[in-house]
Amino acid sequence: MNSELAIAVNNLSKVYKSRSDTDKLALDNISLTIKKGSIFGLLGPNGAGKSTFINILADLAKKTSGKIEVLNINHESNLIDAKRLMGIVPQELNIDPFFTPYELLEIQAGLYGIRKKDRRTMEILKMLALEDKAKAYARTLSGGMRRRLLIAKAMVHDPEILILDEPTAGVDVELRSNLWQNIQKLNQKGKTIIITTHYLHEAEELCNEIAIINEGRLIAHDTTINIKSFLDKMTIVVDYNDNNFNLSELKNFNLDMRIKDRQVQINYKPSEVNFNLVLNAINSSGSKINDMKIIETKLEDVFLQLTQK
Ligand code: ADP
Ligand code: MG
């Protein structure tokens, strides 16, 4: 037990059972802690398992195994209390189009049993710059406004932890920075923020800590500063068929190259050296390649480079 933790997850797994297809292991033994008061980024490509993780927290999906604690409260044995500590903004922008933002927030407050005099509907709408739209039909709202309305809805019961699944999906660029400001303001008021995204630069901008998942597995978790510097390192190991390879082209680049028999190890910073140029030089060495690997943590560097574009 640690009073500094907003969320503690131990050995969390999720299998989606299928009658027709093979079962899908969407979360594979994830252990993760999220500090109270932080802005935490859960990063990973499409299909990594981000929404599955969020949906389990939101009780929209059932875990297969593992343990979750929300501010030290057991998410299984004390689910109602645990849920009350979280406000979750789902990835899909589904809003009942025939209610106004004001009504939607009032209904949500009713669901949480918040008495009329304790409701903060206008205050919340104002915080998310929706006060002008309080009485407008939800169907007339833009994508960005809908996103903010969903955030407002998640804030109704004043949760300690606000969780946003892909908050910038469907939000235009101008509104994005506005959304970020709102999220930062909430964080300054002491709320823990968890966001998922498949864009590294988005997580970088906002988060103190980042976890990266891929195919249901946790592949990195560190401070944003460490993640960034750690990602700016790439190691490529190439096994050639013989030792007649010519890698003089690589000497033009700022990198560290070690040659041992038929194996070459190349270390470089992707921020300084272009991956494709290195790859071309390796390929045009005049010798057949037996095997090539990008070592361990560097795999996600490749995936991040790809997903950033
Ligand atoms: P992300 O949010 O990172 O894009 P998801 O959590 O939505 O990823 O999906 C993780 C994996 O689980 C994907 O392969 C997806 O197809 C699968 N999946 C998600 N929801 C279901 C479901 N309800 N039934 C079966 N498979 C699912
Ligand atoms: Mg998702």
Side-chain angles (χ1 to χ4, degrees):
M1 292 273 175
N2 183 334
S3 61
E4 298 304 310
L5 294 181
I7 307 265
V9 167
N10 277 298
N11 306 108
L12 181 66
S13 290
K14 170 68 182 177
V15 178
Y16 288 110
K17 293 273 181 204
S18 170
R19 284 194 196 92
S20 51
D21 208 354
T22 47
D23 292 349
K24 174 77 198 175
L25 179 60
L27 292 178
D28 185 0
N29 210 27
I30 301 255
S31 295
L32 187 64
T33 55
I34 299 172
K35 290 193 189 81
K36 221 161 123 179
S38 64
I39 305 185
F40 186 92
L42 183 63
L43 195 69
N46 278 324
K50 303 180 299 294
S51 291
T52 299
F53 184 84
I54 303 303
N55 290 344
I56 290 172
L57 287 175
D59 193 34
L60 297 170
K62 288 283 168 213
K63 69 183 180 193
T64 303
S65 57
K67 183 181 169 197
I68 303 167
E69 283 175 310
V70 182
L71 291 164
N72 285 336
I73 290 178
N74 190 300
H75 186 272
E76 189 170 323
S77 59
N78 214 340
L79 181 62
I80 292 170
D81 289 342
K83 275 170 74 175
R84 225 187 158 87
L85 294 168
M86 299 180 289
I88 299 182
V89 185
Q91 186 170 353
E92 279 80 35
L93 287 172
N94 42 18
I95 292 171
D96 193 323
F98 298 106
F99 288 104
T100 66
Y102 187 89
E103 288 165 343
L104 282 169
L105 262 53
E106 284 291 311
I107 292 166
Q108 184 77 359
L111 290 175
Y112 274 98
I114 300 164
R115 281 176 297 183
K116 283 248 191 293
K117 68 173 179 57
D118 296 327
R119 293 183 189 175
R120 302 173 302 130
T121 300
M122 280 318 290
E123 183 193 325
I124 294 168
L125 287 174
K126 207 166 169 185
M127 185 162 57
L128 288 146
L130 284 170
E131 73 268 36
D132 294 347
K133 297 284 175 185
K135 307 283 177 180
Y137 282 118
R139 67 182 140 87
T140 66
L141 303 182
S142 70
M145 289 174 190
R146 283 168 195 234
R147 181 71 61 191
R148 280 180 287 153
L149 177 54
L150 286 173
I151 297 174
K153 207 174 144 195
M155 300 288 306
V156 160
H157 60 294
D158 197 26
E160 284 307 307
I161 305 166
L162 185 65
I163 303 175
L164 305 112
D165 195 2
E166 308 248 4
T168 53
V171 175
D172 33 59
V173 180
E174 309 92 83
L175 283 171
R176 232 195 64 172
S177 69
N178 175 280
L179 188 61
W180 273 179
Q181 283 166 11
N182 287 315
I183 289 173
Q184 274 161 333
K185 254 187 243 161
L186 290 170
N187 179 247
Q188 280 153 15
K189 287 185 185 159
K191 306 292 185 192
T192 304
I193 313 282
I194 302 170
I195 65 163
T196 76
T197 174
H198 55 272
Y199 298 110
L200 174 64
H201 65 89
E202 214 166 79
E204 257 178 38
E205 241 179 88
L206 205 65
C207 302
N208 336 102
E209 279 195 21
I210 292 177
I212 303 172
I213 59 171
N214 194 23
E215 294 181 343
R217 280 188 296 275
L218 182 72
I219 50 180
H221 174 200
D222 213 325
T223 60
T224 303
I225 294 165
N226 285 344
I227 291 272
K228 277 174 76 176
S229 67
F230 145 87
L231 286 174
D232 198 24
K233 274 183 242 150
M234 178 97 91
T235 302
I236 303 175
V237 180
V238 191
D239 288 330
Y240 286 104
N241 220 7
D242 50 54
N243 48 20
N244 302 325
F245 48 87
N246 176 1
L247 287 171
S248 55
E249 236 185 276
L250 282 177
K251 302 226 164 70
N252 302 325
F253 303 133
N254 179 18
L255 43 76
D256 164 47
M257 185 160 62
R258 288 154 209 213
I259 302 175
K260 203 179 148 202
D261 299 327
R262 295 169 191 179
Q263 191 178 73
V264 185
Q265 183 177 330
I266 301 159
N267 302 301
Y268 70 96
K269 289 178 187 262
S271 67
E272 294 169 3
V273 182
N274 183 300
F275 176 68
N276 286 313
L277 293 178
V278 176
L279 215 55
N280 286 342
I282 292 169
N283 271 322
S284 58
S285 65
S287 184
K288 189 173 170 285
I289 295 170
N290 267 347
D291 187 28
M292 180 164 91
K293 58 177 177 280
I294 295 166
I295 288 182
E296 250 181 74
T297 52
K298 304 339 178 234
L299 270 172
E300 54 269 26
D301 196 341
V302 174
F303 122 62
L304 284 167
Q305 283 189 347
L306 292 174
T307 51
Q308 251 182 303
K309 281 173 192 140

